[in-house]
Amino acid sequence: MNAEGSCLCGKVQIKIEGIEKNITICHCQMCQKFHGGAMIALSPCRREQVAFEEQMLQWYESSAWAQRGFCSQCGSSICYFEKETEKFYFSAGLFPHLSEAIVTEEMFTKDQPPYLHIAEKTIRWPGLPGKS
């Protein structure tokens, strides 16, 4: 699947080629604080799959293993970048036309707010997938 989207102000335009259709919801505390709720993320992608306005991004070192990118103009949460694998996880809400995408899994469900209920049948991980 290919995806095109942007941040709120439009300064960060993103094009992704050949991304899988799976969407993951992360309920960890860091994602909740960065996104103002759970992160609803597209499947991971490599740098060569992505074209975007990287000069408009600000990066926050959120942990030893990851950075979080946001638009320097409007503050929109753009992505989570995993340093070890060098993969990007883009916020699904940036892409208005994802008719093929489907929510398939949730992680850090142990941190899921009690008011949030996901109707789709998903694989639910209390922590990192495969490690809990």
Side-chain angles (χ1 to χ4, degrees), residues 47-107:
R47 186 173 296 279
E48 57 269 15
Q49 290 176 268
V50 182
F52 64 107
E53 310 295 326
E54 201 161 352
Q55 70 274 9
M56 288 301 299
L57 287 182
Q58 291 287 312
W59 293 97
Y60 175 68
E61 297 281 332
S62 58
S63 64
W65 60 87
Q67 296 175 311
R68 294 170 190 269
F70 59 95
C71 175
S72 61
Q73 177 81 23
C74 66
S76 291
S77 303
I78 303 294
C79 63
Y80 170 93
F81 178 73
E82 195 172 54
K83 294 177 189 178
E84 184 178 335
T85 63
E86 295 188 355
K87 290 188 177 175
F88 292 91
Y89 296 77
F90 285 92
S91 298
L94 302 171
F95 303 91
H97 305 291
L98 295 176
S99 58
E100 298 176 45
I102 184 167
V103 175
T104 56
E105 71 178 346
E106 299 173 72
M107 54 196 224

